[in-house]
Amino acid sequence: MADALGFTDEDLRRLAGARSYERGLGYLTAVSRLEVGETAITATVDGTDAYEVELTEDGVGPLTGWCDCPYGQEGNFCKHCVAVGLVVLGQADSVPRQRASATGRTELLSSWLKSRTREELLALLQEHLAEDRDLRRRLELRAAAAGEDTGIVRERILSLLDTRPFARYGYVEYADARAYGQQAAEAVTALRALTASGRAADAVEVAREALSALGRTYGEVDDSDGLIGEVATGLAEAHLEACREARPDPVQTADWLVAHLLDGLNDATDIDLFDYHEVLGEPGLARARELVVAAWRAHPKGWAEKYLMERLLKAGGGSVDALVAVHAADLAPNGHTHLVIAKELEEAGRPPEALEWAERGLREADSEWGPDGELVTFVCERYTRTGRIADVVMLRRDLLRARPTLATYQDLRTAARAAGSWEAAERATALEALRAADTPKAGRRYGGSVLMDALMDDGDLDAAWQAAADGYADQQQWLALADRIRGQRPADALAVYVRWIEPLRKQTGDGTYERMTELLLSARTCHQALGTELEFATYLAALRADQKRKRKLMTKLDQHGLP
């Protein structure tokens, strides 16, 4: 299978994780409209909604998956991706034929287009332009960029960057961001065409307006996929290319650049002042230095002012002490700025001073939040190098008490094991600190405890079970624990699944029906391990009789083999 596809069942399990992989098993019959292309596999999966899935693998890079379900939109390889991957693996023998067919269709279309006359191609294009407004607008823009009317190009580029047609309640949601990004990308193409047509000076001015326009609206777009960021980068590159070609006034260019970098519109584009050193020359760079220094002196705590001043000093070969002075003018309360200073000093070959600044950051950190985690790691690494292992454990212990999280618990565990004190004393003290940091609550549904996470991370499932019974687990932690123990303790896991199924009987909605189906599948697995399939059949029959008016639920149970 791997030779034909480039991925295996184990790859799907690794990408999705055990829980999403198992959920995906229940969606095999919900996959429809499957299409295997040359490198991409697309399909629709019926869940709470009809979700579009795309798997990409070209035999060179790793398998990737995209799905427009809420979990998939967060960048996860979801259960719907798993289902599509498993269906494709199930027909792996036919994949080479399907890919060859896709390649053949592409080649046939290309050959057919090449065989058409100019008049036939123009007629075909006109036909599609009459039906596709977006295509017409894109080509109109390219035509304008190749012509002489810069005003039309400017107007069309700014309209391409306008988010209003895509915004719901003033915000471009994830579902609409892809379409907006594809439209906005045409603005980059048009700017480059403007430069290529010999109007680089015009392209400079239009690009500046475009960058400002996108900068103002970037915060109103859900750019989880980074498409809008790519457009912003493209606009910045098109502006720089136009500047290199047109060679605008260096001082005026410096004025615009520094103003753009200081007014917060650079978050999307990430323009670097010193990428323009050829365009600015010494007069422009001198003007930029003057403006940056003045801005920093006026607002030494401003983020943009600090960053530009730092870049100015580094690019100009400024002393490390000058850099330290810039950072020391605004020390973050969690010690992060102390860490930045420490790294600068260490890079300059002054490690004792670096450690002094880092330790000062630990002492001066706001007690409410505790010191920055990276700062603690920096100090611990330097202590480890000099054999101060006991000091490392002490720091990690203090951080756990100040910030009881799974990550701080794991860091303390690593340090104490290195010191040989974890099992002997440190673990019990750490768990007691986590236990004291939370209050047990009977039947809690949300807001699980770090204690539960730590015990499960240790693999101490018996202690985790007891902590859950004592009221330290929320619903998600109960279910995660049930998933972990059901191989050895299926009866206990079954009790958890049934407990969370019962409240769902009184609820309605697609999400509820999907959740109930998943829990029933898990319960069935437990009954199979216990050899009590008949008992599960009786339970399921009673549940279906009780819930028979919920037609969507009945359909979903049928789809997942729960008749």
Side-chain angles (χ1 to χ4, degrees), residues 26-315:
Y27 283 81
L28 301 185
T29 59
V31 176
S32 63
R33 298 173 59 193
L34 180 69
E35 183 176 337
V36 177
E38 295 178 71
T39 60
I41 299 163
T42 59
T44 299
V45 182
D46 291 324
T48 305
D49 202 343
Y51 297 119
E52 298 300 318
V53 173
E54 180 176 310
L55 302 183
T56 304
E57 56 91 20
D58 54 13
V60 179
L63 174 71
T64 59
W66 176 87
C67 178
D68 61 358
C69 74
Y71 189 61
Q73 289 177 11
E74 295 175 0
N76 299 296
F77 197 92
C78 66
K79 58 192 176 186
H80 306 113
C81 292
V82 172
V84 173
L86 289 173
V87 169
V88 175
L89 285 173
Q91 58 184 47
D93 292 342
S94 68
V95 167
R97 175 180 56 77
Q98 294 180 68
R99 284 194 172 148
S101 177
T103 301
R105 291 193 301 271
T106 301
E107 292 174 350
L108 177 62
L109 176 59
S110 178
S111 176
W112 181 78
L113 289 172
K114 288 177 181 177
S115 69
R116 300 301 91 189
T117 65
R118 180 175 181 274
E119 290 72 19
E120 288 173 328
L121 289 174
L122 284 173
L124 180 64
L125 181 58
Q126 290 290 351
E127 177 185 337
H128 283 283
L129 287 177
E131 299 173 352
D132 190 333
R133 292 180 61 194
D134 288 338
L135 175 61
R136 185 178 188 87
R137 288 174 177 174
R138 290 198 296 270
L139 292 185
E140 284 175 346
L141 178 57
R142 296 194 185 188
E148 298 181 358
D149 194 337
T150 304
I152 294 177
V153 179
R154 173 188 173 278
E155 178 186 342
R156 289 295 299 124
I157 285 177
L158 294 180
S159 69
L160 287 170
L161 298 173
D162 187 357
T163 59
R164 287 176 294 181
F166 300 87
R168 303 178 186 180
Y169 311 108
Y171 184 77
V172 180
E173 298 177 350
Y174 179 85
D176 301 307
R178 178 178 290 266
Y180 171 68
Q182 290 172 342
Q183 173 180 294
E186 286 295 316
V188 179
T189 302
L191 282 170
R192 286 180 166 147
L194 203 59
T195 299
S197 67
R199 288 180 290 162
D202 292 335
V204 170
E205 296 303 319
V206 177
R208 290 179 183 177
E209 287 193 69
L211 286 165
S212 296
L214 187 61
R216 286 191 297 270
T217 60
Y218 183 67
E220 301 168 3
V221 182
D222 183 343
D223 192 27
S224 300
D225 285 344
L227 294 175
I228 318 305
E230 291 177 7
V231 172
T233 300
L235 289 176
E237 291 172 351
H239 176 257
L240 180 56
E241 291 165 8
C243 285
R244 286 172 174 165
E245 185 69 25
R247 295 292 176 174
D249 180 86
V251 173
Q252 291 180 357
T253 301
D255 288 344
W256 180 85
L257 275 171
V258 174
H260 179 80
L261 296 174
L262 288 174
D263 68 5
L265 299 182
N266 193 42
D267 291 346
T269 58
D270 199 26
I271 289 175
D272 189 329
L273 176 67
F274 291 94
D275 285 342
Y276 287 77
H277 66 280
E278 294 179 8
V279 176
L280 295 173
E282 189 49 43
L285 288 172
R287 175 61 172 168
R289 292 189 193 98
E290 175 188 339
L291 293 171
V292 170
V293 171
W296 178 72
R297 286 175 176 168
H299 303 283
K301 295 186 177 183
W303 183 91
E305 288 82 357
K306 284 176 58 180
Y307 175 76
L308 279 176
M309 191 66 185
E310 179 185 354
R311 288 288 295 120
L312 191 67
L313 289 169
K314 287 187 174 182

Side-chain angles (χ1 to χ4, degrees), residues 423-443:
E423 298 296 344
E426 206 66 51
R427 179 173 185 263
T429 302
L431 290 174
E432 189 54 41
L434 295 182
R435 193 181 302 275
D438 197 5
T439 302
K441 304 169 187 175

Side-chain angles (χ1 to χ4, degrees), residues 310 312-314 316-326 344 348 350:
E310 179 185 354
L312 191 67
L313 289 169
K314 287 187 174 182
S319 70
V320 67
D321 292 308
L323 276 174
V324 169
V326 170
E344 294 288 355
R350 295 155 64 174

